[in-house]
Amino acid sequence: MNRFVVGVRANLQTFVRTPLNVVLALMLPLVVIEGWGQAMAGLPSMPTVEGIPLDLGRLLGAIFGVAIIAGLMGLVQMISAREADRRLVQTGYAPRTLLATRLATLAGVTIVVAGVNFGVLWLTIDVEAPLFVFAFLALAGVVYAFLGALVGAVLPRLFEGSLVVVFLAMMDAFLSGDSPLAADVPDFVQYFPLYHPKELLQSAAFDGTFAAGDLVFVGGYLLVLLVLVTAVFGATMRTAGGWSA
């Protein structure tokens, strides 16, 4: 347990000591939520789709803001695991403990980022079910934290990986939302990472309810991603020479 706490603390300190991480976590939500809201509301309506209200645009901005920060955090965790975990195992850390510390760090940072985005969102729109909105923002963040870790396994470079995460989150939030420009989006968009979290968030924010089917889908999505991330972390540590301990 002591090693677990120390590991989580070390990962969190690494995140906080990087000024860019703190700026993104604290300032990006305000910029993205208001900017995305104004941009979506300014789009022209199409014959088959109504224009996007400002509040809905802000809601989509909030889920995008959570996704991008959590995704980048997952990316950084995976990249740092390639270099740091081998040395930590050699000093006596069990691989499972290292895996647990990284997953706990991802969850902790995601919850904080979701809280910041929720705070900004709460100040800008009327939210019917605040606890549900916060929970669903956190769920969307965890999904992208895991996706970011998977991207880091394929592209173990910060610059290239960051571009992929940002582009993926932007297109996902845009196509999963109710954009007039996405009127003819194919049915497979419902399998995008943010589609069902967006449905949950929208229902909770504007109606105070949510569909159980969407929640089950997100739960299954998270379970599959957790299995994949666990396998990828294990493969990364084996490549680094650390999983044998």
Side-chain angles (χ1 to χ4, degrees), residues 22-109:
V22 178
V23 171
L24 288 176
L26 297 180
M27 299 300 297
L28 188 64
L30 181 60
V31 175
V32 170
I33 290 175
E34 187 60 26
W36 195 284
Q38 295 290 344
M40 296 293 285
L43 291 175
S45 60
M46 304 290 284
T48 57
V49 182
E50 295 181 357
I52 301 299
L54 179 60
D55 286 354
L56 179 56
R58 287 169 173 164
L59 197 72
L60 295 175
I63 199 170
F64 169 68
V66 171
I68 191 173
I69 297 298
L72 291 175
M73 182 63 185
L75 174 74
V76 170
Q77 285 288 303
M78 179 58 70
I79 292 175
S80 64
R82 291 178 176 272
E83 301 178 359
D85 287 357
R86 176 172 55 85
R87 295 191 294 270
L88 289 173
V89 168
Q90 291 175 349
T91 63
Y93 268 89
R96 290 183 179 84
T97 301
L98 288 173
L99 173 61
T101 60
R102 294 198 177 278
L103 292 178
T105 302
L106 284 179
V109 172

Side-chain angles (χ1 to χ4, degrees), residues 128-139:
E128 292 294 330
L131 291 179
F132 286 157
V133 169
F134 171 73
F136 297 149
L137 279 174
L139 280 177

Side-chain angles (χ1 to χ4, degrees), residues 74-75 78-79 82 147-157 232-233 236:
L75 174 74
M78 179 58 70
I79 292 175
R82 291 178 176 272
L147 286 174
L150 295 178
V151 171
V154 179
L155 293 172
R157 297 190 178 210
V232 167
F233 266 118
T236 299

